[in-house]
Amino acid sequence: MKTAARLAALTVLMSASLALGQNRGTIGVSIPSADHGWTAGVVYWANRTKSELEKKYPGMRIVVKTAKDANEQANQIQDLYTVNRINTLVILPVESAPLTKPVADLKRRGVYTVVVDRGLTDPSAQDAYVAGDNPGLGRVSAEYLGKAMGGKGNLVVLRGIPTVIDNQRVDAFEAVMKSKYPNIKILDKKYANWNRDDGFKVMQDYLTRFPKIDAVWAQDDDIAVGVLRAIQQARRNDIKIVLGGAGMKEMIKRVMDGDKLITADVTYPPDMIADAMRMAAESRASGKPMPKNTIIPSKLITKENAKNFYFPDSPF
């Protein structure tokens, strides 16, 4: 009888554990492919965090998918719902507008939706939002360039891709320039798609059109790599500062080494996907909703503090 009782108790316990595991369900993580340095960091952190969370929460399953464009990502999140039967979606949209309706459709079907970094055009489509401080990145960049340029001179801007966060960065940057540094002229601003090759092409165009450029706001470190290549190829020595952003290890190393063109950087860490996944997993396990908005501040990196942001083993 005692053995039978123990078996019965064990069965109840296993059933309870199974139910708890089922309640934790499956989290789908949808992110862009590693098509440049920052997204390579996102993919690295997503896969690393998947293993961490599946160990921490037995019974919880994490499915990570990468997509090369918005259409592929929209199809993938439908598959995550119909095939993988996710109850939670953590998504870093390739683009904002094309992904808004697919995410809203999943939320309407009961999937808890966590949007990371690139906000949707309709925030009501998401349950929670986790991002870097995009207006802050624009403000910190403008403050640094304004002071470094002595409040005057010619500046060119290379934008990211047409997304809500790109607008937030550029709007905040221009607001600071307009209010505090009116003698700095923004010669032009074009999309370089957070891409080295596009950064090279856009900068080539600027170098051809403008005989005097004092500084470049590349907004992103991958773009800055292309910008530096274009400047070197054109053998231009009028440009004194190139400011990227995100905290790529190669750029941080340049700051540490006292590079004449790369004198600073501004953080926008790719491991924010890991923060979002951890928060979503904790929320699903506890049954408590996440904070509606979680913003990770952007910080200025200079030679004085660069060592605190340099991680040589990171892929980004």
Side-chain angles (χ1 to χ4, degrees):
M1 287 295 290
K2 291 177 74 175
T3 300
R6 280 203 302 274
L7 285 172
L10 182 60
T11 300
V12 170
L13 184 61
M14 289 178 65
S15 299
S17 297
L18 180 60
L20 183 59
Q22 288 171 339
N23 286 337
R24 287 172 174 171
T26 301
I27 297 178
V29 180
S30 177
I31 52 180
S33 302
D35 58 0
H36 77 306
W38 194 83
T39 50
V42 169
V43 173
Y44 167 81
W45 280 105
N47 286 310
R48 175 175 164 157
T49 309
K50 163 187 162 68
S51 303
E52 169 196 319
L53 294 176
E54 287 181 338
K55 287 179 183 174
K56 183 174 181 178
Y57 300 104
M60 181 181 288
R61 197 160 67 100
I62 313 286
V63 181
V64 177
K65 297 277 189 182
T66 62
K68 67 179 184 299
D69 57 36
N71 285 334
E72 185 177 48
Q73 192 171 32
N75 291 331
Q76 281 183 352
I77 66 172
Q78 290 303 314
D79 287 345
L80 283 169
Y81 178 74
T82 56
V83 178
N84 301 104
R85 299 183 181 281
I86 61 171
N87 66 346
T88 304
L89 173 69
V90 178
I91 180 170
L92 197 161
V94 174
E95 293 180 48
S96 301
L99 271 302
T100 297
K101 185 175 184 305
V103 173
D105 286 344
L106 260 61
K107 185 186 176 190
R108 198 160 37 245
R109 295 176 192 175
V111 175
Y112 190 79
T113 56
V114 180
V115 175
V116 184
D117 183 40
R118 302 170 191 173
L120 302 174
T121 53
D122 178 8
S124 69
Q126 67 204 19
D127 290 293
Y129 179 59
V130 179
D133 185 359
N134 288 289
L137 187 148
R139 281 193 296 272
V140 171
S141 300
E143 292 284 4
Y144 180 77
L145 284 174
K147 290 177 184 174
M149 295 173 70
K152 60 183 179 182
N154 294 332
L155 174 75
V156 291
V157 174
L158 290 90
R159 306 187 62 159
I161 60 178
T163 57
V164 172
I165 66 169
D166 178 76
N167 293 336
Q168 291 173 338
R169 292 178 181 186
V170 174
D171 289 349
F173 183 88
E174 290 186 315
V176 172
M177 285 295 173
K178 186 176 180 181
S179 63
K180 299 184 70 173
Y181 303 105
N183 294 323
I184 291 178
K185 182 179 181 182
I186 297 178
L187 297 173
D188 202 354
K189 49 184 180 179
K190 280 189 170 183
Y191 290 108
N193 303 313
W194 293 321
N195 178 284
R196 298 180 183 198
D197 290 340
D198 289 348
F200 176 74
K201 292 173 186 172
V202 172
M203 194 63 207
Q204 271 191 322
D205 174 62
Y206 286 161
L207 291 169
T208 302
R209 291 165 52 206
F210 304 118
K212 182 73 166 67
I213 300 172
D214 296 292
V216 180
W217 183 41
Q219 196 200 101
D220 172 85
D221 288 334
D222 271 297
I223 295 177
V225 171
V227 167
L228 292 172
R229 187 157 59 95
I231 293 172
Q232 183 181 25
Q233 194 173 90
R235 298 182 178 179
R236 289 277 292 262
N237 56 16
D238 50 317
I239 300 161
K240 306 303 181 192
I241 307 169
V242 175
L243 181 64
M248 179 191 290
K249 64 181 179 183
E250 287 84 358
M251 289 299 170
I252 303 301
K253 186 69 166 57
R254 282 172 175 261
V255 174
M256 291 170 66
D257 293 344
D259 188 293
K260 290 183 179 178
L261 279 178
I262 305 295
T263 55
D265 203 63
V266 182
T267 62
Y268 197 80
D271 65 353
M272 67 178 69
I273 189 71
D275 291 336
M277 290 169 67
R278 291 184 188 115
M279 294 170 72
E282 171 62 26
S283 170
R284 297 303 84 196
S286 67
K288 297 177 182 176
M290 288 173 55
K292 196 72 178 172
N293 292 289
T294 301
I295 303 300
I296 302 166
S298 283
K299 299 175 182 175
L300 181 68
I301 302 171
T302 63
K303 191 173 182 180
E304 286 69 33
N305 65 354
K307 65 180 181 183
N308 299 329
F309 299 90
Y310 184 59
F311 302 100
D313 295 334
S314 165
F316 178 71

